[in-house]
Amino acid sequence: MNRPHPETLDETMAKCERLRRPLSRELDQGKRFVVGGRHGDWVTAAERVKDIGGEVAAFHDSRKKTRGGKKNGIDVLRGKLPRRFAGLPYLFAGEPSKQWFSPAPSFVESCIWDVEPREAHQRGKAMPRLLQQHRERVERVFQHLADGPSRLQFASIVKARVEGDTSFHRISRYAEYDHPIVRPTQGDVAIDVGAFRGETTVRFARSVGARGRVYSLEPEPSNHARLCAATSDLFNVAPIAFGAWDDTRVLSFQGGRGGASRLSSEGEIRVPVTSIDRLVRRYRIPRVDLIKLDVEGAEKRVLEGARQTIRRHRPKLQVSIYHHKPDLFELPELLIDWLPGYRFYLGHHSYYHVETDIYAVPVEKWARGYLARSSRRWALRLLGRSPERGTSTS
């Protein structure tokens, strides 16, 4: 078991409060702002700015397929902000929407937020009672996280779900399923469960190289067809038209929801599913180095069907923990109980309430991942790029 950290969950949540930039703290007399976010909240935010003597320099529409113009006599900018506006404080009005706004983490955290918490409570994103009822379990997960960024992000998620305010979120500096230590490396054999249309599979295939292999499971027919098309020139990928479960059967599947398509009793199509343990036997997979799970709420059932594989091969794990509210603490706690000798990390990859993942690595593979991360950072520095995102530092 990990040693308890000197900082408690409550203390780290208080840090999230200090790091957040609410409008009430930032509205200084005479300050100029760029206002973005929900169109319907622009005017209200502008009125609040005006009431305290501030000025709205422009509205910003980050969507690509929109036109500029004016709104209430104020310029509407679209796309990338012009240089003359880039240095101004950015006020995000309203509740963030995952579908149309995906900025870099550093930008999200630099925003000033004008969020209405009641809306989040009404839409069911907040869960203060559930977190209070299971406070000891939530604290236990926090104490098992292996580094400061993981604990800060976990605390920020708890704070956001207690308050119903997504502006508390602290966001990972690495892409989802690309944790600096818990990621596929050269020669690995990876299983991508919930491959969707292949974006993560393609990235994994490039990481494992010619000596590695990626088995990608996607049961929805149209998504599977696009997965096959995306990986048609990758000889180290095996697309499999199965879903994952804790045994082998045929289940109903609700398609037509993009990445949120899922196994459901209300599903209009029938798809075959199997367990990871049976898959490994059927395809005679000699070893498993990494398993990634993003299966829209079926993660616990899939893990149950992978127990033999996990026990035998001790793979690195990447597991989504946001599809059901209790997943935030129940799935990490399940892995903590199952996996002695593992280190656990947490990543949050959206300012929204989604894209939260637990990353687990056995201690005997941790050093290899740490050295790979260190080598990568040095290589990026030699190229003049940021170790966090591979972006230019100039």
Side-chain angles (χ1 to χ4, degrees):
M1 178 176 174
N2 292 7
R3 290 185 301 171
H5 300 287
E7 193 172 64
T8 65
L9 176 59
D10 282 335
E11 291 168 339
T12 310
M13 288 170 63
K15 183 184 294 185
C16 296
E17 178 76 53
R18 295 192 297 271
L19 290 171
R20 174 176 173 262
R21 299 181 67 190
L23 180 62
S24 58
R25 192 187 302 162
E26 296 288 338
L27 285 175
D28 297 333
Q29 194 79 6
K31 181 172 281 189
R32 300 178 75 226
F33 294 85
V34 172
V35 175
R38 279 192 172 180
H39 304 159
D41 294 315
W42 282 356
V43 174
T44 302
E47 289 173 352
R48 292 185 63 187
V49 170
K50 184 177 179 180
D51 287 344
I52 52 80
E55 176 188 353
V56 175
F59 294 124
H60 180 227
D61 189 340
S62 63
R63 297 175 301 176
K64 295 179 180 179
K65 297 181 179 180
T66 56
R67 297 180 179 179
K70 288 184 178 289
K71 187 178 183 70
N72 286 25
I74 298 173
D75 289 335
V76 177
L77 310 174
R78 65 186 182 91
K80 186 176 180 179
L81 282 174
R83 182 170 296 182
R84 69 180 185 277
F85 294 102
L88 297 179
Y90 194 102
L91 172 61
F92 195 104
E95 180 79 6
S97 175
K98 175 189 174 185
Q99 284 74 15
W100 56 265
F101 191 54
S102 273
S106 57
F107 178 77
V108 174
E109 294 177 357
S110 70
C111 284
I112 299 163
W113 294 89
D114 184 23
V115 177
E116 177 51 66
R118 286 175 298 178
E119 182 178 351
H121 282 274
Q122 290 166 358
R123 292 171 65 183
K125 297 173 191 172
M127 42 191 256
R129 289 185 181 179
L130 181 67
L131 291 171
Q132 187 59 41
Q133 289 171 358
H134 298 280
R135 184 58 186 235
E136 291 184 2
R137 299 173 69 184
V138 174
E139 179 74 42
R140 182 183 178 218
V141 173
F142 172 83
Q143 291 294 338
H144 273 81
L145 295 174
D147 65 359
S150 296
R151 293 190 292 274
L152 180 63
Q153 286 155 33
F154 184 77
S156 77
I157 295 165
V158 174
K159 182 70 173 176
R161 295 196 181 185
V162 168
E163 302 293 341
D165 185 343
T166 54
S167 67
F168 285 105
H169 284 152
R170 313 307 296 174
I171 300 172
S172 301
R173 291 297 197 266
Y174 52 91
E176 188 172 25
Y177 309 125
D178 194 31
H179 187 278
I181 295 174
V182 191
R183 60 194 299 269
T185 56
Q186 284 287 320
D188 277 357
V189 175
I191 301 178
D192 182 0
V193 185
F196 190 40
R197 296 170 181 171
E199 291 88 348
T200 302
T201 292
V202 169
R203 195 167 72 219
F204 282 6
R206 291 170 179 163
S207 296
V208 303
R211 294 183 296 109
R213 187 85 169 154
V214 182
Y215 297 86
S216 299
L217 279 69
E218 176 53 53
E220 204 277 332
S222 62
N223 288 337
H224 184 262
R226 296 183 70 168
L227 167 66
C228 291
T231 59
S232 60
D233 60 343
L234 298 173
F235 64 89
N236 60 348
V237 173
I240 301 171
F242 268 72
W245 200 241
D246 57 0
D247 61 4
T248 299
R249 61 175 73 184
V250 176
L251 296 176
S252 297
F253 191 90
Q254 189 173 19
R257 302 178 62 186
S261 298
R262 66 183 67 201
L263 293 166
S264 169
S265 60
E266 300 175 358
E268 67 283 358
I269 60 175
R270 303 279 286 173
V271 299
V273 298
T274 191
S275 69
I276 289 177
D277 289 340
R278 185 177 290 270
L279 178 86
V280 170
R281 292 195 299 269
R282 177 179 177 180
Y283 283 84
R284 298 181 181 180
I285 301 174
R287 72 175 196 280
V288 178
D289 299 297
L290 182 140
I291 300 173
K292 167 247 168 184
L293 298 182
D294 184 358
V295 286
E296 303 303 315
E299 283 80 7
K300 186 174 181 180
R301 298 294 291 264
V302 177
L303 286 168
E304 290 284 356
R307 293 187 73 154
Q308 294 178 15
T309 301
I310 293 172
R311 187 181 304 115
R312 179 181 178 185
H313 298 282
R314 290 180 62 83
K316 295 169 280 189
L317 298 172
Q318 304 177 337
V319 182
S320 296
I321 59 169
Y322 62 86
H323 293 110
H324 301 304
K325 289 180 180 179
D327 285 354
L328 182 66
F329 54 89
E330 285 187 350
L331 290 178
E333 194 173 47
L334 178 73
L335 294 175
I336 289 166
D337 290 338
W338 278 12
L339 303 175
Y342 266 68
R343 290 176 181 259
F344 298 93
Y345 302 87
L346 183 131
H348 185 70
H349 306 282
S350 166
Y351 54 25
Y352 213 46
H353 67 290
V354 296
E355 322 304 354
T356 307
D357 307 291
I358 193 78
Y359 298 93
V361 59
V363 291
E364 65 269 20
K365 297 179 181 178
W366 174 85
R368 177 183 172 189
Y370 184 82
L371 290 173
R373 181 187 70 169
S374 301
S375 299
R376 186 183 182 201
R377 289 173 67 92
W378 277 110
L380 288 170
R381 284 172 178 166
L382 288 172
L383 292 171
R385 301 187 177 199
S386 166
E388 294 172 351
R389 286 263 170 174
T391 55
S392 174
T393 56
S394 58

